[in-house]
Amino acid sequence: MGLLNSLLEHNRAFVEAREYEQFETDKFPDKNLAVLACMDARLVELLPKAMGLKNGDAKLIKNAGALVTHQWGSVMRSLLVAVYELRAEEICVVAHHDCGMRAIDPARILANAQERGVSADTITTLRGAGIDLDAWLKGFDNVQDSVRHTVHTIRNHPLMPKDIPVHGLVIHPATGQLDLILDGYAS
């Protein structure tokens, strides 16, 4: 049985047992909070528990590195929707120590893409179209600096209201210890 079949089988049992009832809430975050966090598998349960969040408390947006890499990308759009449509009044950017995006090697990713069937011609075409694949795939060297940059990008977005506190934190992926990098109330 493939993974998808296993997931669907579990889902049928979950729904039949009405296990979803313990998670019932509406679309508005009870703590009026949006969290941008890394997609690291170690944080799936640890991050909400370490922050004292339960289902329905926050809008959780996840990507590789907890990064806003483009002012007009989907992460920034999601944060703006959370603020303007879903009553988020604060934003936390939560990256983590030992992140896979730290010092990631774009050349290695592109080599792996070619090994998986992406042609060198496709990569050449993308580069020729003006896409800087190396910059787009690059991670960061220092997690604290990355958090500062992402917080700065969010705070300074032309559509982000200036009264929204944007906090920057780094979580330890084993212990859940949160280190404050930027206090959005102090800015």
Side-chain angles (χ1 to χ4, degrees):
M1 177 178 353
L3 179 59
L4 178 59
N5 289 336
S6 174
L7 295 172
L8 291 172
E9 182 178 301
H10 172 83
N11 179 256
R12 279 189 285 280
F14 176 87
V15 173
E16 285 174 13
R18 301 176 65 93
E19 290 182 48
Y20 56 84
E21 290 175 348
Q22 64 184 312
F23 302 108
E24 288 179 347
T25 187
D26 62 25
K27 66 181 179 178
F28 301 105
D30 293 337
K31 293 195 176 184
N32 296 8
L33 176 66
V35 177
L36 170 58
C38 185
M39 66 182 191
D40 190 291
R42 296 172 289 181
L43 304 180
V44 170
E45 292 187 47
L46 179 65
L47 176 72
K49 296 251 190 245
M51 294 183 76
L53 300 174
K54 65 180 182 354
N55 198 56
D57 279 348
K59 292 296 178 184
L60 186 56
I61 301 157
K62 291 185 150 209
N63 73 2
L67 299 169
V68 174
T69 57
H70 194 283
Q71 274 199 331
W72 305 106
S74 63
V75 172
M76 197 64 228
R77 181 185 61 221
S78 295
L79 290 169
L80 290 166
V81 168
V83 167
Y84 287 114
E85 293 292 319
L86 301 170
R87 303 181 190 154
E89 297 174 1
E90 297 190 34
I91 297 170
C92 286
V93 175
V94 186
H96 66 95
H97 298 288
D98 190 33
C99 183
M101 288 298 287
R102 190 175 116 332
I104 198 163
D105 180 8
R108 187 178 68 236
I109 291 174
L110 293 173
N112 289 339
Q114 286 183 323
E115 286 177 17
R116 299 283 299 265
V118 174
S119 72
D121 288 344
T122 296
I123 293 170
T124 300
T125 299
L126 291 171
R127 291 187 192 283
I131 298 171
D132 185 348
L133 292 173
D134 297 315
W136 184 65
L137 291 169
K138 185 178 181 337
F140 51 82
D141 296 320
N142 179 289
V143 68
Q144 292 87 354
D145 289 344
S146 175
V147 168
R148 286 184 193 94
H149 180 266
T150 294
V151 167
H152 176 80
T153 301
I154 295 167
R155 278 188 185 147
N156 292 293
H157 193 280
L159 296 177
M160 183 60 68
K162 299 305 177 207
D163 63 341
I164 298 291
V166 183
H167 313 289
L169 302 113
V170 176
I171 190 170
H172 191 285
T175 68
Q177 165 88 34
L178 287 167
D179 297 323
L180 181 63
I181 305 303
L182 289 171
D183 180 345
Y185 301 133
S187 301

